[in-house]
Amino acid sequence: MSDMQTTFVMVKPDGVQRGLVGEIIKRFERKGLKLVGLKSIIPSEELAEEHYGVHKERPFYNGLIGFITSGPVVAMAWSGIDAISVARIIIGATNGREAIPGTIRGDFGMDIGFNLIHGSDGEDTASSELALWFPEGTMEWNRDIEGWVYE
Ligand code: IDP
Ligand code: MG
C-alpha cells in the first residue's frame, strides 16, 4: 500500500536539551516529507498520560511521564506517501544502543528511555496522536517542489 499519510513526530525533552531540534527537523525535511504542523510546548501531565496511555501498566510508565513533562518538546506533523513507516525508519529502533547508524536514535542515542524522538507506529495511533497534539488541525498547503519529490 502506498497511501498519502500524515504522521505525528515529537522531539522529546532530551533532544531539545541536547540541542538536536534543528538536526532532527533537517532529516525529515531533506528526506522529502512535508511539514504540516509544528509547535514547541511543555506537555501537561494529562497530555503525556493520554499520549502514553498504552504503556500505563509498564514498569517504566511513571518515569516516562516524568521525562516527557520535564521540559519543552517539539511536536510536528509530517505528510508524505507512507509517511508513518518512513518516519519510523528515519527514527530507528527504540534502544539507541541497538539502533542502526544513519537513523536518528542510531546516530545520537545511547538509551532506551531517553531516545530523543517519538513517531506514530500506525494509522490509528497517527490519527489519535495528531488529534491529541494538534486539536486545531494541521496545515493544508501545496508544496511547489512536489513534482520533484514524487515521479
Ligand atoms: P517507540 O517509541 O520506539 O515506539 P515504545 O515501545 O512504544 O517505543 O515505547 C515508548 C517509549 O517508552 C520509548 O520511546 C521510550 O522512551 C520508553 N521506553 C520503552 N521501553 C522502555 C524501557 O524498557 N525502559 C525505559 N523506557 C522505555
Ligand atoms: Mg511506540
Side-chain angles (χ1 to χ4, degrees), residues 43-89:
S44 66
E45 202 129 313
E46 190 183 7
L47 179 58
E49 285 177 358
E50 181 102 13
H51 176 77
Y52 280 125
V54 65
H55 295 302
K56 202 162 178 47
E57 307 306 325
R58 309 286 283 278
F60 57 82
Y61 178 74
N62 288 340
L64 180 58
I65 298 302
F67 165 48
I68 291 299
T69 57
S70 68
V73 302
V74 177
M76 295 176 275
W78 290 95
S79 289
I81 295 176
D82 296 335
I84 297 167
S85 64
V86 168
R88 296 277 292 186
I89 291 166

Side-chain angles (χ1 to χ4, degrees), residues 52 54-55 88 94 105 118-121 125 129:
Y52 280 125
V54 65
H55 295 302
R88 296 277 292 186
T94 306
R105 288 166 173 169
H118 166 85
S120 305
D121 64 8
T125 46
E129 289 169 3

